[in-house]
Amino acid sequence: MTGSFEGRTALVTGAAHGFGRAIALAFAARGARVVACDILGDGVAETAEMAGASCEALCLDITDHGGVGQALADLMTRHGGVDILVNCAGGVLGQVGRPIEEISPADWTAIVAVNLSGAFYLSQAVAPGMKANGWGRIVNISSGAGLGISLTGIQAYASAKAGQIGLTRQLAHELGAFGITVNNVAPGFVRSNPTTERQWQAMGKDGQKKLVESIALKRLGSPDDIANAVLFFASEEAGWISGQVLSVDGGK
């Protein structure tokens, strides 16, 4: 069903590790030209090397509106634009849960910028090319925190991911007339990067057991589980699906 993306160019942000890396590798394995994007230059270069010749690395700060515009203009020149955009970059930027009165404006703004504003900037940059082509796929990676609460209690993270879900629905209606679908994947807890690994260890054995027992399938997922959902949304078979949020969390 999601077998081939030959002739398509896919831009994947947050591709230096975790979900983004798995998504970039999955598209490359299925014939897409992949632009693996991240602010972590070494990590995204490693992803491109793992993916092979059809994947290139792009070191980019997605919170820099001007830089995003310049990078997309270059991609337009070299590849004729972007067919598939996966907004995967995000995270908590090393922050931990604290009482609301302890949160500085800078802490709040930083998380909102990378989880919400960056997705907006990239979507804004690719939209003209997708409109011109009459076809496009935008897939945002939010979180169970955007549908409920943050397990770590980080107010900005839950808010930004909820905002990203709202952006998904809004853009689906704005861009649908141009043959562009916009959907959202909301992962459950997956040990996919150094941050989630620290969160897992901090839970202790009792907390880990409690978390797994709360999942219908009684196991944690993997980055490939998230990549598979993205591939579906990006496929031709999902052409009449837009504005949707798919929870990939093992069942709650």
Side-chain angles (χ1 to χ4, degrees):
M1 182 167 56
T2 54
S4 176
F5 293 93
E6 290 186 13
R8 301 294 189 191
T9 297
L11 171 61
V12 182
T13 72
H17 52 60
F19 297 155
R21 172 174 285 178
I23 294 164
L25 295 179
F27 275 117
R30 288 160 179 81
R33 294 185 298 269
V34 178
V35 181
C37 170
D38 206 293
I39 197 171
L40 302 175
D42 291 344
V44 76
E46 186 177 79
T47 297
E49 184 176 353
M50 293 169 65
S54 64
C55 182
E56 66 180 82
L58 173 62
C59 187
L60 178 67
D61 178 0
I62 65 165
T63 70
D64 176 3
H65 184 267
V68 167
Q70 183 175 350
L72 266 294
D74 179 61
L75 289 178
M76 177 67 74
T77 300
R78 293 187 292 111
H79 297 306
V82 172
D83 302 299
I84 301 163
L85 168 65
V86 183
N87 286 309
C88 187
V92 300
L93 306 180
Q95 296 186 38
V96 298
R98 290 169 291 157
I100 187 171
E101 60 268 26
E102 296 181 12
I103 309 302
S104 72
D107 289 341
W108 170 271
T109 300
I111 288 182
V112 171
V114 73
N115 289 281
L116 178 55
S117 298
F120 175 78
Y121 296 158
L122 266 296
S123 299
Q124 185 181 50
V126 302
M130 289 182 176
K131 286 181 177 181
N133 292 334
W135 195 96
R137 298 285 191 267
I138 298 175
V139 185
N140 297 319
I141 309 299
S142 61
S143 168
L147 294 168
I149 62 170
S150 167
L151 292 177
T152 54
I154 299 175
Q155 304 89 343
Y157 185 72
S159 300
K161 290 303 189 185
Q164 192 197 78
I165 290 170
L167 178 66
T168 297
R169 291 173 175 148
Q170 191 67 37
L171 291 183
H173 280 268
E174 178 180 343
L175 301 177
F178 302 93
I180 303 166
T181 68
V182 188
N183 289 291
N184 197 292
V185 175
F189 183 84
V190 179
R191 296 167 65 184
S192 60
N193 57 46
T195 296
T196 53
E197 188 61 32
R198 287 193 297 270
Q199 291 171 351
W200 175 254
Q201 297 303 328
M203 292 177 192
K205 290 185 178 180
D206 290 342
Q208 294 167 3
K209 181 179 179 181
K210 182 178 179 181
L211 175 62
V212 172
E213 287 299 314
S214 72
I215 300 171
L217 290 176
K218 307 304 179 189
R219 66 173 179 84
L220 298 181
S222 73
D224 287 338
D225 291 314
I226 310 307
N228 289 337
V230 173
L231 291 175
F232 169 67
F233 275 143
S235 70
E236 293 290 349
E237 290 83 356
W240 207 50
I241 301 173
S242 197
Q244 300 304 303
V245 182
L246 178 60
S247 294
V248 183
D249 56 11
K252 293 294 186 180

